[in-house]
Amino acid sequence: MSEALVHKVRAAARPLQQPSDLDPLLERIGDARVVLLGEATHGTSEYYGWRARISERLLLEKDFSFLAVEGDWPDCYRLSRYVKGREDAGGSAFEVLHAFDRWPTWMWANQEIVELAEWLRTFNEGREPDDRVGFFGLDVYSLWDSLHAVLDFVRKNDGASLEHARQALRCFDPYGEDAQVYARATRFVGESCEAEVVGLLRDLRARREALRADGSRDAFFDAEQNALVARNAEAYYRAMVRGGGASWNLRDKHMMETLDRLLRHHGPKAKAIVWEHNTHVGDARYTDMARAGMWNIGQLAREAYGDDQVVLVGFGSHRGTVIAGEEWEAPMMRMPVPPAREGSWEDVLHRASPEDKLLVFDGHEDEELLAVRPHRAIGVVYHPQWESYGNYVPTVLPRRYDAFLYVDQSHALEPLHFVERSEHDYPETWPSGF
């Protein structure tokens, strides 16, 4: 790594200490319709905090319409009802979020989101009910919760669709609400519940006008979205057991479809804030994902709405602590994040100066800044001791993102549920040169 590169990054970087330091990013966002905010982990407090500050400024200064996140639709819709001040929506954000019980619970059941949700509720109190900002989930995992939500809706509003909903649930009954069991069974037996969930969504949509006329437009949108989740989740879980990139593409296509539905639902002038992991937000064409035939929502949004209407913001840090699990559905732990790999983008940013910083890209970067370098990506399953063997995505940083927020030393977020301590954990005060 050349000193010239370090010098160029140092010259391009702007300080990042307080909300007013976000002014260059707000200027870059301009009149964009969609802003996607990433994260290098699913368990870092600073990423949630800075995304909240950016989101608050977009709502206050640029009249954005809603917040959509990498979360389950049914859970997030309950929080959306709370922040909009709906009746019987819960007594506090803590109460609503503490009920998020699908692993990894800490992604949304954390103190940082409690604070944001209470801010949103206060913000909404001064707005007309139809103009209140919601909090929505884009993800595809909630197969059974979404099926139950559709059944509840049709019981109350649509007796004609009741049998379709019951048939879909009966089809899934033998699998005990375990997606892995369902996926493996469909792989070896060759039978599935695809026809049932496709039929349920088709039937509900066929009765759209009557149901929207008879009841709440939002209530029908919620039911239709849950039926869409059920259809796409069924396909996602079947694809997952086959391996390859098909399940990833199905998931991000679903998230893009949901984002598009939300924009249309909120009207022609709607603007969206999206929170997801960097691997979803950063344009896949500027990583090794493209060679594997994989895409993501960042790429799809640029292609659908145009580069001038979409701003992609990445996040990263040099070292710190994080909440994660040692395997899927394992207890969450507070783990160390070791200093970044030598030659990675995080290493370059640290060498440029050991302070938090903001980079805003203008499309005129020189060849050295456009080189492919490793860029750290930590998921919900993490093994710090194996850091040197993975957790990095080859990336052209100024093309993958329009801007990048760098935190030199980050800290684990504060989950609402019990956290175990990793045997590999280190004190918050570990030496900066570690």
Side-chain angles (χ1 to χ4, degrees), residues 191-206:
E191 297 179 358
S192 76
C193 299
E194 179 183 10
E196 283 75 9
V197 289
V198 169
L200 176 60
L201 178 61
R202 183 189 302 120
D203 186 62
L204 202 61
R205 285 177 166 172

Side-chain angles (χ1 to χ4, degrees), residues 388-409:
S388 59
Y389 299 103
N391 296 110
Y392 287 84
V393 178
T395 293
V396 181
L397 201 74
R399 295 294 179 265
R400 187 177 178 186
Y401 309 110
D402 298 297
F404 192 79
L405 276 74
Y406 169 79
V407 178
D408 196 62
Q409 182 164 352

Side-chain angles (χ1 to χ4, degrees), residues 40-312:
T41 83
H42 285 307
T44 297
S45 180
E46 285 83 358
Y47 302 155
Y48 284 72
W50 279 114
R51 291 189 299 183
R53 302 296 84 74
I54 295 167
S55 300
E56 289 163 6
R57 290 196 60 181
L58 291 176
L59 293 169
L60 288 165
E61 300 172 32
K62 293 184 177 289
D63 199 28
F64 272 67
S65 310
F66 60 88
L67 183 62
V69 306
E70 188 181 339
D72 292 338
W73 178 268
D75 284 342
C76 292
Y77 197 76
R78 286 192 289 275
L79 183 64
S80 188
R81 295 185 73 252
Y82 173 77
V83 301
K84 289 185 174 186
R86 298 288 171 80
E87 293 183 5
D88 303 320
S92 68
F94 179 93
E95 175 188 329
V96 176
L97 287 161
H98 199 271
F100 280 40
D101 59 3
R102 188 182 69 77
W103 196 92
T105 58
W106 69 86
M107 274 182 64
W108 306 113
N110 60 65
Q111 186 59 37
E112 289 80 355
I113 295 297
V114 167
E115 293 170 7
L116 174 63
E118 295 295 2
W119 185 93
L120 287 170
R121 185 173 171 105
T122 300
F123 173 79
N124 280 330
E125 286 174 355
R127 300 168 70 91
E128 293 297 320
D130 289 344
D131 294 330
R132 290 176 182 172
V133 171
F135 185 100
F136 302 102
L138 298 176
D139 225 327
V140 75
Y141 291 125
S142 59
L143 174 56
W144 276 273
D145 284 351
S146 288
L147 281 172
H148 285 295
V150 176
L151 182 60
D152 288 344
F153 175 82
V154 297
R155 275 176 178 155
K156 298 174 185 174
N157 302 281
D158 184 24
S161 298
L162 186 58
E163 186 54 32
H164 278 99
R166 286 173 172 162
Q167 286 176 1
L169 273 169
R170 282 198 295 268
C171 184
F172 286 103
D173 273 347
Y175 309 105
E177 301 199 2
D178 188 321
Q180 300 287 339
V181 172
Y182 172 73
R184 289 193 295 268
T186 59
R187 180 181 184 183
F188 294 112
V189 176
E191 297 179 358
S192 76
C193 299
E194 179 183 10
E196 283 75 9
V197 289
V198 169
L200 176 60
L201 178 61
R202 183 189 302 120
D203 186 62
L204 202 61
R205 285 177 166 172
R207 296 176 48 73
R208 175 188 286 120
E209 296 307 319
L211 289 169
R212 286 175 60 173
D214 291 345
S216 163
R217 178 172 175 266
D218 284 349
F220 177 79
F221 184 85
D222 175 42
E224 184 182 20
Q225 181 61 32
N226 276 305
L228 180 69
V229 170
R231 185 198 71 182
N232 290 344
E234 188 277 334
Y236 169 80
Y237 287 122
R238 280 191 292 110
M240 186 177 63
V241 296
R242 296 195 294 269
S247 61
W248 175 279
N249 286 349
L250 280 169
R251 184 179 171 211
D252 273 61
K253 183 179 178 183
H254 169 83
M255 291 194 284
M256 181 62 198
E257 184 177 4
T258 303
L259 173 61
D260 198 59
R261 291 189 74 242
L262 283 164
L263 284 166
R264 286 186 278 110
H265 182 70
H266 283 81
K269 295 183 180 180
K271 297 197 286 187
I273 305 166
V274 176
W275 289 24
E276 296 201 27
H277 197 279
N278 286 342
T279 49
H280 298 290
V281 165
D283 192 324
R285 292 172 293 184
Y286 300 99
T287 74
D288 61 346
M289 295 169 63
R291 290 198 302 273
M294 298 163 67
W295 59 64
N296 62 12
I297 191 171
Q299 173 185 340
L300 295 175
R302 277 178 169 175
E303 292 173 342
Y305 307 128
D307 290 356
D308 61 331
Q309 292 297 303
V310 176
V311 175
L312 310 180

